[in-house]
């Protein structure tokens, strides 16, 4: 009799109810499962599970019952929104920037955990729930759905991540869980489709700017679907692009499409010349070609399409639609927020014309002063070959790389504590007065004016750091325990040298007279970077809040919230790092050097044709960042008698009796610190904990890496404590 009941159970199991094929795929993707994981669990091939999800075949015993059980469990976790009233996600969980149609159900995102002292921002970007594939882009656009924040021409967000399945069907993953069928069967057709149907792109960031082009991110599978290699060969990777004669490039050319000078590489721009005032341009990003450098984007290139769409979508919404590396995007953001031209007032015929926008850098490049030019620049073509310029000929405004030996008293303290300034270069850019669109003017024996940006040849070797003005009061300090604020190495200058305006102004602030010999000044000036800083500052602070680190926390609450903050949402952790690299890379791009073979010193390189090739602006920002660092170290020394033992860019290392920054910084019982000194907090310019190591560790590193006349910089290793073979020269 028992055998009869077993047979009945088997018969029932052979007909276990299953949801429709599209729902099967939605449930798997909503839980972040891959086809491989499901196939391995059910002991079938990957293609078999793909066939079940496409409806090509149906599961059969003995896999049908466990597969049905899996889908039933997932359905409890990720119920279809169509089951709710009106078939629309609740307002508290539906992403505001994405249309959610009844035909594309998505799952409500789970809240991000955070410490009780610092709950996540209610505006935190949700994880995308991958829904079933939509029937078509046009059908998605016409669906009766809540009006997204980007409704209209760009209703479906700034970008799509394209992926192809085993049946060569291409799906576009958008922000907030959006899914679109992509009907295009070739790259030219894909570009045409991207401009005509999916309503992808972003509104301009300034009234006088231009809208962001649609961004299509192609996975390795999508590359193969459109005739592109999944990975570049060594030769192609070295060139940074496919060869001109590649079949796909020929297809684009035959269809009337053009590529920019960087060709069809990891970041490619496909366009047609403007006709009738209509811009036709699509940006391509190919992660498998190293478009998403792991130094800036971490493991973004390995994410599933929906997760990658979320990461890039959050970055696009808070910063801008990426158009290249984070450095390239940082530079482009400057122009997007401060366009060089605007529409004029109507002329007598009622027509408007393009004219220069006051406060911008203009449309034409400006040559630097000779002292500001990097080696090989055309303005230095008259110099003898192999001529080495010293501080009296060249402006050396760089970030700190300084270290000293520990004193006997410092060796008796148990800990080395590193503190790091948040977005140091961003904070330095805020309020920076820089020259705009006019070339610099040469002046001899000028009177120094801190309100005039420029480069000044002046002798600052007389500034004595053992007696300086701090908060407008003369203070006696251990000057040999502080780095000089005037050189990147921290060494005291030995004679006249070129400095940017903020550096010379700081010498005056410390209480010393200055007498410049000559200068290159820029009377036409403005705060060109203020909007850039504010945009990136907001992106950084908002993302930190989403990770559970809010503003206006007490020092203790801030340190607690920072503990493991990226682990609360690794995808937003990627966005956070990308924002930081956008700041640093954008400033670096202001002085982009010549790249590639064939360049000869004295000849121009492509970057020089940009109005944003401005080494003087970079110098002013780095000068301000270094001066800000020195000002705070001096205030801390005056208040506590503590001096840094190493400084690397925006990180300073101190000895302390305890392992916490609170054992270094002078906070009182009310949570207040010395004015002008370091403050713990999330805002740019405030500091966070970089790392703590034992003093014995530090002594060992100094002995291991130190060379005659040079002390190893402990700030370089304080975060992890690791010293690699490369560091030791082995």
């Amino acid at each position: 009799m028992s055998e009869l009941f077993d047979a009945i159970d088997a018969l029932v199991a052979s007909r276990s109810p299953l949801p429709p094929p599209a729902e099967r795929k939605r449930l798997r993707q909503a839980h972040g499962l891959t086809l491989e994981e499901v196939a391995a669990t059910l002991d079938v091939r990957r293609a078999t599970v793909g066939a079940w999800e496409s409806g090509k075949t149906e599961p059969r015993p003995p896999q049908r019952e466990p597969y049905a059980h899996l889908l039933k469990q997932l359905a409890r976790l990720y119920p279809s929104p169509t089951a709710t009233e009106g078939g629309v996600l609740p307002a508290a969980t539906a992403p505001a920037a994405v249309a959610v149609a009844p035909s594309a159900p998505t799952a409500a995102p789970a809240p991000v955990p955070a410490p009780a002292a610092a709950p996540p921002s209610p505006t935190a970007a949700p994880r995308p729930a991958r829904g079933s594939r939509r029937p078509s882009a046009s059908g998605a656009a016409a669906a009766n759905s809540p009006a997204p924040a980007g409704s209209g021409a760009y209703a479906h967000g700034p970008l799509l991540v394209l992926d192809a399945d085993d049946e060569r069907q291409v799906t576009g993953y958008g922000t907030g869980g959006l899914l679109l069928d992509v009907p295009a069967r070739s790259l030219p057709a894909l570009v045409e489709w991207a401009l005509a149907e999916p309503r992808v792109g972003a509104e301009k960031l300034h009234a006088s700017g231009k809208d962001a082009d649609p961004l299509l991110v192609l996975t390795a599978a999508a590359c193969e679907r459109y005739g592109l290699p999944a990975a570049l060969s060594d030769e192609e990777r070295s060139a940074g692009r496919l060869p001109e004669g590649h079949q796909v490039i020929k297809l684009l050319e035959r269809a009337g499409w053009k590529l920019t000078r960087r060709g069809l590489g990891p970041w490619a721009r496909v366009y047609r010349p403007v006709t009738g005032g209509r811009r036709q341009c699509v940006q391509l990003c190919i992660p498998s070609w190293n478009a998403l450098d792991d130094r800036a984007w971490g493991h973004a290139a390995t994410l599933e399409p929906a997760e990658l769409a979320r990461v890039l979508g959050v970055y696009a919404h808070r910063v801008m639609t990426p158009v290249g590396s984070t450095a390239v995007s940082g530079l482009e953001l400057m122009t997007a927020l401060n366009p060089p031209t605007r529409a004029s007032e109507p002329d007598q015929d009622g027509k408007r014309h393009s004219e220069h926008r006051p406060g911008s850098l203009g449309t034409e490049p400006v040559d630097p002063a000779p002292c500001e030019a990097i080696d090989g620049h055309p303005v230095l073509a008259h110099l003898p070959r192999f001529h080495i310029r010293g501080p009296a000929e060249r402006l050396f405004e760089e970030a700190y790389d300084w270290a000293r030996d520990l004193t006997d008293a410092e060796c008796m303290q148990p800990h080395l504590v590193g503190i790091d300034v948040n977005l140091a270069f961003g904070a330095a850019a805020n309020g920076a007065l820089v020259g705009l669109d006019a070339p610099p003017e040469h002046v001899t024996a000028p009177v120094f004016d801190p309100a005039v940006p420029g480069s000044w040849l002046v002798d600052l070797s007389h500034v004595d750091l053992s007696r300086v003005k701090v908060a407008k009061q003369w203070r006696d300090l251990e000057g040999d325990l502080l780095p000089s604020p005037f050189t990147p190495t921290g060494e005291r200058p030995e004679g006249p040298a070129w400095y940017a305006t903020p550096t010379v102004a700081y010498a005056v602030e410390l209480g010393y007279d200055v007498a410049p010999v000559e200068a290159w000044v820029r009377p036409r000036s403005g705060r060109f970077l203020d909007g850039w800083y504010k945009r990136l500052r907001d992106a950084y602070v908002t993302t930190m809040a989403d990770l559970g680190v809010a503003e206006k926390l007490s020092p203790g609450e801030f340190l607690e919230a920072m503990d493991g903050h990226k682990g609360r949402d690794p995808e937003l952790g990627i966005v956070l790092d990308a924002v930081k690299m956008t700041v640093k890379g954008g400033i670096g791009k202001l002085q982009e050097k010549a790249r590639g073979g064939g360049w000869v010193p004295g000849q121009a390189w492509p970057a020089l044709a940009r109005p944003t090739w401005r080494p003087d602006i970079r110098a002013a920002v780095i000068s301000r960042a270094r001066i800000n660092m020195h000002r705070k170290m001096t205030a801390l020394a005056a208040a506590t008698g503590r001096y840094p033992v190493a400084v690397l860019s925006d990180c300073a290392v101190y000895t302390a009796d305890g392992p916490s920054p609170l054992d270094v910084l002078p906070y009182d019982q009310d949570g207040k610190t010395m004015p002008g000194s370091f403050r713990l907090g999330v805002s740019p310019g405030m500091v966070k904990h970089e790392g703590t190591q034992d003093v014995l560790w530090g002594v060992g590193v100094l002995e291991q890496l130190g060379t005659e006349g040079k002390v190893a910089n402990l700030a370089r290793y304080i975060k992890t404590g690791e010293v690699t073979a490369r560091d030791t020269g082995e």
Side-chain angles (χ1 to χ4, degrees):
M1 183 66 70
S2 61
E3 294 178 356
L4 180 60
F5 280 99
D6 290 342
I8 292 173
D9 290 341
L11 182 63
V12 172
S14 70
R15 299 293 189 272
S16 295
L18 296 170
E23 179 68 0
R24 302 169 197 173
K25 182 176 181 180
R26 183 191 76 82
L27 291 171
R28 174 181 61 79
Q29 292 180 332
H31 200 60
L33 299 175
T34 64
L35 288 171
E36 289 84 355
E37 290 174 320
V38 176
T41 301
L42 297 176
D43 195 22
V44 296
R45 294 186 302 113
R46 177 185 186 276
T48 301
V49 180
W52 295 346
E53 292 184 354
S54 66
K56 187 175 181 180
T57 63
E58 285 294 304
R60 307 173 77 176
Q63 286 83 15
R64 186 179 179 96
E65 184 178 17
Y67 184 52
H69 180 69
L70 169 66
L71 296 176
K72 184 178 180 181
Q73 293 292 93
L74 294 177
R76 291 174 181 172
L77 294 174
Y78 308 100
S80 171
T82 55
T84 64
E85 183 179 354
V88 177
L89 286 173
T93 59
V98 180
V100 182
S103 59
T106 60
V112 178
S121 165
T123 60
R127 290 180 180 273
R130 297 191 224 166
S132 59
R133 186 182 299 168
R134 294 191 182 209
S136 67
S138 58
N144 183 17
S145 59
S151 60
Y154 308 125
H156 292 152
L159 58 91
L160 291 173
V161 178
L162 307 186
D163 192 30
D165 59 21
D166 292 341
E167 299 176 359
R168 296 173 60 83
Q169 298 297 315
V170 180
T171 301
Y173 294 78
T175 55
L178 173 74
L179 286 161
L180 298 177
D181 265 343
V182 182
R185 296 293 179 259
S186 67
L187 193 60
L190 176 64
V191 175
E192 296 274 7
W193 173 84
L195 291 169
E197 291 194 43
R199 296 199 289 168
V200 174
E203 297 286 347
K204 54 193 174 186
L205 299 179
H206 189 281
S208 297
K210 59 186 179 184
D211 292 353
D213 300 317
L215 173 62
L216 302 181
V217 184
L218 277 60
T219 65
C223 284
E224 293 177 342
R225 174 65 185 84
Y226 290 115
L228 299 170
L232 295 177
S233 66
D234 291 342
E235 184 178 352
E236 292 165 347
R237 188 163 52 250
S238 177
R241 69 190 72 188
L242 292 181
E244 294 295 330
H246 193 278
Q247 181 181 1
V248 173
I249 296 179
K250 291 180 178 179
L251 286 175
L252 288 170
E253 291 174 346
R254 282 200 292 268
W257 293 103
K258 296 180 178 293
L259 293 164
T260 58
R261 184 159 31 194
R262 58 184 173 183
L264 187 48
W267 290 92
R269 187 168 288 172
V270 185
Y271 72 98
R272 280 179 179 149
V274 176
T275 56
R278 184 189 174 198
R279 177 182 172 85
Q280 297 185 75
C281 185
V282 172
Q283 181 80 47
L284 302 180
C285 168
I286 306 178
S288 61
W289 294 5
N290 200 33
L292 302 177
D293 188 338
D294 57 9
R295 291 172 296 181
W297 291 100
H299 64 284
T302 66
L303 293 174
E304 291 291 323
E307 283 73 31
L308 181 56
R310 181 196 182 214
V311 167
L312 295 177
V314 172
Y315 180 89
H317 174 67
R318 295 179 179 175
V319 180
M320 69 176 297
T321 304
V323 293
S325 66
T326 49
V328 171
S329 296
L331 192 70
E332 290 292 324
L333 182 63
M334 296 178 191
T335 302
L337 293 169
N338 205 332
T341 60
R342 66 181 180 186
S344 68
E345 293 296 324
D347 60 18
Q348 59 184 5
D349 297 325
K351 295 182 179 179
R352 296 180 182 269
H353 307 277
S354 178
E355 66 178 13
H356 171 67
R357 263 194 74 252
S360 74
L361 298 185
T363 58
E364 297 298 324
V366 176
D367 278 340
C371 62
E372 297 164 350
I374 60 177
D375 292 340
H377 193 281
V379 302
L380 303 176
H382 62 284
L383 293 178
R385 194 177 183 186
F386 305 120
H387 175 73
I388 298 176
R389 295 183 295 158
E393 295 179 90
R394 180 179 174 183
L395 181 70
F396 286 98
E397 292 286 10
E398 301 294 341
Y400 267 131
D401 187 350
W402 169 86
R404 62 172 176 82
D405 286 321
L406 276 65
T407 65
D408 292 342
E410 289 169 340
C411 288
M412 298 302 294
Q413 294 185 291
H415 300 287
L416 288 163
V417 180
I419 53 177
D420 181 78
V421 180
N422 303 321
L423 290 192
F425 295 121
N430 185 36
L433 202 62
V434 301
L436 295 178
D437 57 321
E441 301 174 6
H442 185 251
V443 184
T444 56
V447 176
F448 176 68
D449 185 347
V452 176
S455 300
W456 310 77
L457 181 61
V458 58
D459 189 350
L460 299 180
S461 61
H462 64 291
V463 177
D464 183 4
L465 294 181
S466 64
R467 183 164 177 77
V468 296
K469 278 187 177 180
V470 181
K472 299 183 180 180
Q473 294 183 350
W474 284 99
R475 303 293 295 268
D476 292 325
L477 302 174
E478 296 290 338
D480 57 340
L481 299 183
L482 282 170
S484 168
F486 308 126
T487 63
T489 62
E491 299 296 326
R492 188 168 178 168
E494 298 179 350
W498 286 99
Y499 302 101
T501 296
T503 302
V504 184
Y506 186 57
V508 176
E509 179 184 324
L510 293 177
Y512 291 87
D513 295 329
V514 297
V517 178
E518 59 178 301
W520 290 88
V521 296
R522 294 174 169 82
R524 291 176 60 178
S525 60
R527 296 168 60 159
F528 171 72
L529 294 173
D530 278 11
W532 182 81
Y533 159 76
K534 185 178 185 303
R535 178 85 177 175
L536 290 166
R537 184 260 179 210
D538 291 348
Y540 177 80
V541 171
T542 301
T543 307
M544 288 292 283
D546 291 345
L547 291 169
V549 187
E551 294 185 276
K552 299 183 179 179
L553 296 177
S554 69
E557 291 172 336
F558 171 73
L559 291 175
E560 181 182 356
M562 285 293 294
D563 187 17
H565 65 288
K566 290 183 183 178
R568 294 175 196 138
D569 190 332
E571 291 165 16
L572 284 183
I574 294 174
V575 176
L576 183 70
D577 288 340
V579 171
K580 292 190 287 188
M581 290 300 290
T582 301
V583 174
K584 187 174 294 186
I587 296 299
K589 273 284 184 180
L590 291 167
Q591 186 180 274
E592 183 178 357
K593 297 179 180 179
R595 295 182 297 173
W599 174 74
V600 177
Q603 292 183 351
W605 58 94
L608 301 186
R610 297 193 315 249
T612 50
W613 196 87
R614 292 292 300 272
D616 59 296
I617 296 180
R618 174 186 178 274
V621 171
I622 293 178
S623 167
R624 284 170 60 92
R626 194 181 66 248
I627 294 308
N628 288 343
M629 197 76 176
H630 192 275
R631 184 182 290 114
K632 292 174 181 178
M633 291 188 295
T634 302
L636 180 59
T640 67
R642 295 185 183 277
Y643 295 84
V645 299
V647 185
L648 182 66
S649 187
D650 48 9
C651 175
V653 176
Y654 287 84
T655 59
D657 292 326
S660 168
L662 294 175
D663 297 308
V664 174
L665 305 182
Y667 281 95
D668 59 23
Q669 294 181 348
D670 297 327
K672 295 182 180 179
T673 187
M674 169 73 180
S677 182
F678 296 107
R679 293 176 55 203
L680 288 166
V682 73
S683 296
M686 300 177 77
V687 298
K688 60 182 179 293
H689 186 202
E690 180 71 0
T692 296
Q693 305 295 333
D694 294 337
V695 164
L696 290 178
W697 164 88
V699 172
V701 172
L702 293 177
E703 292 177 350
Q704 182 182 11
L705 301 183
T707 58
E708 185 176 354
K710 185 173 178 61
V711 180
N713 194 323
L714 296 178
R716 182 171 280 110
Y717 316 105
I718 192 71
K719 187 170 186 176
T720 63
E722 296 179 0
V723 179
T724 65
R726 179 179 179 182
D727 297 319
T728 61
E730 297 178 0

